[in-house]
């Protein structure tokens, strides 16, 4: 069964970065989006960065890539066969989102947009909370499904680690490993 909270987190961030992409594309064309700016006053909007068309185009591409990563995470979580495929994608998407928020913060400070620090910091906290919720749900899902370990992989793994450790020590001391020594 797919994890519900992780699906909602991925859907939210997909939508959020898609809206940021539309805002950045509007800045490239010079039009802006009146419906988007109606929600925020244009003077204090954290989306409106007068950085020029090339920088806005780069921002639009970055936001689009992050939105596509979250969309990919959402689809993978819906149809995943193995546990963990969506978790890795979620980590990559959240890291990319944090990177784009850092770029947005740097551009906002560089271009002198007022109060960009509080807007981007709020989004960083939301990203961190999303990551924590995703990890907590993955841990809860793993605990609920129980240990799929049948008891045979634990001792085998311990023996393999012991053998590797013994071989490493033998190579470091330049002695041949003793074939008679048991672990």
């Amino acid at each position: 069964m797919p994890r519900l909270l992780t699906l909602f987190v991925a859907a939210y961030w997909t939508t959020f970065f898609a809206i940021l992409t539309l805002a950045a594309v509007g800045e490239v064309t010079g039009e802006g989006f009146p419906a988007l700016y109606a929600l925020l006053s244009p003077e204090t909007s954290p989306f409106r960065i007068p950085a020029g068309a090339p920088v806005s185009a780069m921002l639009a591409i970055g936001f689009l890539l992050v939105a596509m990563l979250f969309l990919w995470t959402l689809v993978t979580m819906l149809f995943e066969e193995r546990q963990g495929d969506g978790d890795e994608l979620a980590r990559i998407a959240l890291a990319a989102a944090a990177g784009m928020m850092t770029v947005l913060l740097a551009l906002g400070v560089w271009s002198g947009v007022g109060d960009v620090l509080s807007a981007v910091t709020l989004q960083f906290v939301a990203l961190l909370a999303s990551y924590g919720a995703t990890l907590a749900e993955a841990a809860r899902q793993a605990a609920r499904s129980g240990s799929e370990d049948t008891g045979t992989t634990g001792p085998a793994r311990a023996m393999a680690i012991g053998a590797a450790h013994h071989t490493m020590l033998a190579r470091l001391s330049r002695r041949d490993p003793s074939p008679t020594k048991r672990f």
Side-chain angles (χ1 to χ4, degrees), residues 71-87:
L71 182 63
W72 188 13
T73 301
L74 180 68
V75 170
T76 302
M77 288 297 220
L78 280 173
F79 302 113
E80 77 178 340
E81 293 176 11
R82 290 185 344 208
Q83 188 72 21
D85 289 342
D87 294 335

Side-chain angles (χ1 to χ4, degrees), residues 87-109:
D87 294 335
E88 184 65 27
L89 275 173
R91 274 189 230 110
I92 292 170
L94 287 166
M100 284 307 298
M101 284 294 147
T102 303
V103 168
L104 188 62
L105 176 67
L107 283 174
V109 169

Side-chain angles (χ1 to χ4, degrees), residues 5 97 138:
L5 182 63

